[in-house]
Structure formats: C-alpha cells, structure tokens
Amino acid sequence: MAFIYETHLHTCEASRCGRAHGRDYIEYMKEQGYSGIIVTDHFFNGNSAVPADLPWDKRVEMYVSGYKAAAAEAEDKDFTVFFGIEYNFEGDEYLLYGVDERWLLENSDILEQTRSEVYKRVHQGGGIMVQAHPYRERDYLTKIHLTPSVCDGIEVYNAANGDNMNALAYQYAKKLNLPMSGGSDIHFFYEGPKGGMMFDRKLETVEEYVQAFMNREGTPVAIDGGRAIKVSKIDKLVNPEREATLEICMHEE
C-alpha cells in the first residue's frame, strides 16, 4: 500500500499568494489521494501575509495559524498534517522540515543570518533544508542561485514548474547525489497535475518524514488523473531539452 504526502503547500493565513485556508485543504487533499500534507507557508522574507511591524512572537503566531487550522481540522480523519517553512534568500527558496514554532521563537534573529548559518541552525533544531524548485524561471527572477553546500535534498518535481525546469533540477540532484523531493507547490484547489512523496508506510510525525527522506525511502511522484507515477519514469521530467536561460550563480558557503 502506498502513502503519498504533499510536501509543498501554502495557506492564505500566512502566504500572500495563498488562496485556500488551512482547514479547507483536508477533505480536498484526501479526495486527491494524499495521506497527509506538509504546510510550508512563505516565511517573512518571502511572499508573506504576516505584517512586518508586529512583535516577533505575534508574527510567529500568525505564521503558524494556517498549519494549526489544518492540523485541527485533520484530527480523527486519518490524515496527517506536518509543519514546514519555505525560506527565501535571493529568490532561492528552501523547504525546512523538522523545525517547529518553538524553534522560530528561539531564533528571532534568523532573518539576519547567511545561508550557511540558517543551515546550521536548522540542523541544530533537528531539521533539514531542501532547495525548492532550484531551476525556476520567472519574470521576477534575474538569476538562478544554486547552493550545494547548504542542501540536504533537492525538490526535483514541482507541479507549478515547467517540465524542463524540473528536469534540470533532477539532473542537478543526481549530480550532487542528494535525496530528491516532489511536491505540488499548491496555493489553491485545482484539477491539474500535482506532486508528492510516496512511501510504503504511514508516517506519523515530521521527524519520521525527515528520517525517511534522508534514508531515501520516499519516491517523488507526479500525480495526474488520480494516477501517481514515479518521476524517474517520466522522460520529460528527467532529461532536459535545453539549458536554463537565466544566469546561474553558484554559492560556496
């Protein structure tokens, strides 16, 4: 039996671009065939809906509200909700798994830190740092920032990205020999391709997810028409047709 988890999801409570409330995702994602979700709202240095002029503890409280609403709604529904963060630097974004609200409260100076320092603190908190959609190209981006020294894994399938961008990410992860992740980057309900991580067992905690991911137990999958297919089996998602058009900036930290 397969268990599929959405690893990249935004709520309107904390992400400015989010259009669905945390609590409303539960039934929808269950109908889509998922066993659980990881709420990864944009942090304060990304497209955040949290006002910057609030005290830090109030900002954190608002930030985790979408996750908490989803978790409360999922109680007694055989559906798992985990907490995550999407953290931005210069357009390069990272999915943080395994840290929590307490970690955020204890790291009130986190926005002032370098990539390597954030990576260090995430590890100290028992978490991991996965680069999201590393080869994403958008009109608001001028460069592709790659940071192999501060990555525990690479998101190789992002349903909101074009096939070639995903294929470039797949080859990048393969070159680095890092664990691969897949997700939808979902902001609202839609009936199109989605992504996720497939496991052969149910995961009860985010710590289990982190361990299983680092042990390479999970498989990135693309989901379309209710059918989950391993990303590695889809040629257009693993073999790029062309190079990236944006300048690539390598960070060695």
Side-chain angles (χ1 to χ4, degrees):
M1 184 176 180
F3 299 86
I4 300 175
Y5 295 85
E6 171 62 82
T7 66
H8 194 159
L9 178 146
H10 297 273
T11 75
C12 63
E13 281 93 340
S15 294
R16 186 178 299 161
C17 46
R19 284 159 48 189
H21 291 278
R23 65 176 182 272
D24 295 333
Y25 274 113
I26 308 309
E27 290 301 328
Y28 173 77
M29 296 303 281
K30 286 187 69 174
E31 291 172 0
Q32 299 294 312
Y34 290 90
S35 300
I37 59 176
I38 308 179
V39 178
T40 55
D41 277 312
H42 290 293
F43 198 54
F44 308 146
N45 48 12
N47 197 17
S48 176
V50 180
D53 58 352
L54 295 175
W56 185 260
D57 60 338
K58 295 300 182 183
R59 294 176 78 186
V60 171
E61 181 182 352
M62 185 173 176
Y63 179 75
V64 302
S65 63
Y67 154 73
K68 287 188 173 181
E73 183 67 24
E75 287 183 6
D76 303 320
K77 292 186 177 178
D78 192 28
F79 191 84
T80 309
V81 178
F82 300 142
F83 176 72
I85 299 168
E86 184 165 20
Y87 195 95
N88 174 64
F89 284 99
E90 297 177 86
D92 51 318
E93 295 179 298
Y94 303 83
L95 299 166
L96 313 185
Y97 304 120
V99 293
D100 56 15
E101 180 180 6
R102 180 178 177 180
W103 181 85
L104 287 174
L105 291 171
E106 292 175 348
N107 286 275
S108 58
D109 63 342
I110 196 69
L111 296 175
E112 304 161 19
Q113 306 307 314
T114 63
R115 292 174 179 84
S116 58
E117 181 59 33
V118 171
Y119 182 69
K120 176 183 176 182
R121 293 196 191 186
V122 168
H123 276 238
Q124 289 173 340
I128 58 174
M129 193 159 153
V130 175
Q131 186 165 8
H133 42 66
Y135 280 86
R136 167 167 288 186
E137 298 198 26
R138 295 289 189 272
D139 56 7
Y140 56 83
L141 297 174
T142 58
K143 294 181 181 180
I144 290 172
H145 296 270
L146 300 179
T147 57
S149 63
V150 298
C151 287
D152 297 300
I154 303 294
E155 184 183 57
V156 302
Y157 180 67
N158 179 296
N161 269 8
D163 294 341
N164 196 69
M165 299 177 203
N166 285 318
L168 287 168
Y170 183 92
Q171 291 299 326
Y172 177 57
K174 191 174 179 181
K175 179 181 179 181
L176 297 178
N177 192 29
L178 287 175
M180 301 181 182
S181 176
S184 304
D185 202 350
I186 186 170
H187 292 68
F188 50 85
F189 306 154
Y190 68 95
E191 295 302 323
K194 295 180 176 63
M197 288 294 287
M198 184 169 66
F199 298 85
D200 60 7
R201 61 187 175 92
K202 187 176 181 180
L203 304 176
E204 301 289 352
T205 66
V206 72
E207 288 80 14
E208 280 188 55
Y209 176 82
V210 167
Q211 183 177 24
F213 177 78
M214 293 306 296
N215 289 340
R216 303 177 192 245
E217 295 177 32
T219 302
V221 293
I223 305 166
D224 200 2
R227 186 165 168 242
I229 306 173
K230 293 180 180 180
V231 169
S232 61
K233 301 297 184 182
I234 305 174
D235 184 71
K236 64 182 180 179
L237 296 181
V238 300
N239 293 309
E241 294 183 349
R242 59 190 179 280
E243 296 298 322
T245 58
L246 291 182
E247 176 187 352
I248 294 177
C249 181
M250 296 292 296
H251 295 266
E252 299 295 338
E253 295 193 24

